[in-house]
Amino acid sequence: MRTSPLRRALISVAALGAVVTLASCAAGGSAAPASTPDGSGSDAQPGPRVAVAYEGGILVLDGETLDTVADFESEPFTRLNAAGDDRHVMVTMSEGFQVLDTAAGTTDEPELTDTIFETDTPGHVVRHADKTVLYADGTSDTTIFDTADLASADGLPEVETVAGVEAHHGVSVVLEDGTFLTTIGNADGRNGIVAKDADGTEIASSDQCPGVHGEGTAKDEAVVFGCENGALIYHDGEITKVDAPDQPYGRMGNAYVSETSPIIVGDYKNDVDAEGYLLSAVTLIDTEAKTLDVVDLPEGVEYTFRDVVRGPGDLAYILSSDGAIHVLDPESGEITDSFPVVEAWEGPAEWQDAHPAIVVAGNVAYVTEPAANSVHAVDLTAGEVLASTELDVTPNEIAPAAG
């Protein structure tokens, strides 16, 4: 494994603007005035923004300097999900999904808007095929809208709601041709998925996925759902079950995808009684070959569900508890590079507890370091820290808006 040197230097805004190239990934309180990228106060449009949740609030940071642009009050614990339009973030509140406008790429000021998609127990947010899909765990209803309408609508955009059958912690996906995929379950558990065409006619279904959780859409719209004993792959109207090597328990529950790669990287756990949330292996699911392989990571490389992203070159980037980002080639299953970013850390006692997380926009990753109340911007192609900031609060969840 090759280790690149760490260069943790704050660089000037002008220099950073030349280095950082970002692309699409993926009310309450008063906002500070938005600064321009060159600090001149001109009318130049700001670049990317980053939303960071902390206990009782949400910060909006400049994506290049990591300066705080706005600070909003919120509920004690909120989850953040990029809406898919490079500007807005969906915030899970008790009433539903509230829209945070980061004002990325505009001269507007950030705003935690009054726009709320009222939802009973808001859950997963999925972005695909120019649609944003919101799932309500309390009803299993799915709310679908055109992602672009979020910026143009006065209030809530026009939505389509697909009524759930039985409430459960689930997720839904909408494909380019209108195919609707959603999980099957009830209060006693979850066991599969169903696919319906744009008219609501069932195409395929499977009940061979105990504990179904999470989803990811890969190249050619092959969709994977994780199971406690493997995964389901949906492609071109057919569902294929791929088994984990460990039976009856070999769980994949989160998928890390690139829509230009046929290989999905998933988390992996094979001990149902294991304590803590640190994991030391990943799944590699080839949606073309219909295979599932498990790769054990090098000793000392452990992560949680917040610590894996796909980035440049369709590679996977794992923020490990040893403090480094390790680069995984999904084609070979090999770690090809690593570079230190934060201090070594321990896994959380509960999944909601603040612990290091990584998100990506283009070639840049944003990494939280709760133990130091810090956030870092990292050039994934060079393995260098571009900027760091120390906050007055402890960062928890994080979501980018590329601008």
Side-chain angles (χ1 to χ4, degrees), residues 21-257:
T21 302
L22 293 178
S24 170
C25 13
S30 58
S35 60
T36 57
D38 62 1
S40 65
S42 70
D43 291 333
Q45 288 190 342
R49 296 275 168 81
V50 186
V52 178
Y54 62 92
E55 186 174 359
I58 303 169
L59 299 177
V60 177
L61 308 182
D62 183 287
E64 294 177 348
T65 66
L66 300 183
D67 291 338
T68 297
V69 180
D71 187 357
F72 302 102
E73 293 182 358
S74 72
E75 296 175 356
F77 177 76
T78 56
R79 305 211 69 188
L80 303 179
N81 294 274
D85 64 350
D86 296 337
R87 174 170 175 167
H88 294 88
V89 170
M90 310 304 294
V91 182
T92 56
M93 298 285 203
S94 55
E95 294 180 65
F97 297 95
Q98 187 166 358
V99 179
L100 169 64
D101 184 353
T102 71
T106 76
T107 56
D108 298 336
E109 294 184 2
E111 179 185 9
L112 185 56
T113 72
D114 293 327
T115 301
I116 300 176
F117 294 85
E118 294 186 1
T119 302
D120 183 348
T121 317
H124 283 281
V125 177
V126 172
R127 304 155 296 277
H128 179 69
D130 299 323
K131 303 284 188 182
T132 303
V133 181
L134 311 177
Y135 192 90
D137 288 351
T139 60
S140 285
D141 291 350
T142 301
T143 300
I144 307 163
F145 62 90
D146 290 335
T147 305
D149 289 350
L150 202 57
S152 59
D154 182 13
L156 287 173
E158 183 177 347
V159 303
E160 175 188 359
T161 300
V162 180
V165 178
E166 294 183 90
H168 64 279
H169 177 55
V171 65
S172 299
V173 189
V174 178
L175 303 184
E176 294 275 2
D177 63 359
T179 298
F180 176 74
L181 302 167
T182 193
T183 52
I184 300 170
N186 54 39
D188 297 323
R190 315 180 297 272
N191 63 357
I193 64 170
V194 62
K196 298 181 179 181
D197 66 18
D199 296 324
T201 301
E202 183 173 314
I203 302 170
S205 66
S206 172
D207 62 359
Q208 301 303 304
C209 190
V212 59
H213 184 274
E215 57 71 42
T217 303
K219 184 179 179 181
D220 296 330
E221 291 200 306
V223 187
V224 167
F225 294 81
C227 314
E228 290 181 352
N229 59 2
L232 296 179
I233 302 172
Y234 173 87
H235 190 228
D236 284 345
E238 296 184 355
I239 298 173
T240 303
K241 173 67 181 292
V242 288
D243 292 324
D246 299 291
Q247 295 294 330
Y249 188 83
R251 180 184 186 271
M252 187 207 109
N254 296 277
Y256 311 100
V257 303

Side-chain angles (χ1 to χ4, degrees), residues 323-399:
I325 290 177
H326 298 268
V327 184
L328 174 75
D329 182 352
E331 295 283 348
S332 66
E334 298 291 331
I335 297 291
T336 61
D337 198 2
S338 66
F339 39 89
V341 176
V342 301
E343 296 296 324
W345 51 277
E346 296 182 355
E350 302 293 340
W351 69 263
Q352 300 96 330
D353 293 343
H355 62 280
I358 182 172
V359 294
V360 68
N363 293 338
V364 175
Y366 296 99
V367 173
T368 64
E369 188 175 10
N373 287 350
S374 296
V375 175
H376 312 282
V378 183
D379 183 342
L380 292 176
T381 60
E384 298 175 359
V385 174
L386 299 172
S388 297
T389 188
E390 184 174 347
L391 308 172
D392 293 328
V393 296
T394 300
N396 196 335
E397 296 241 336
I398 184 169

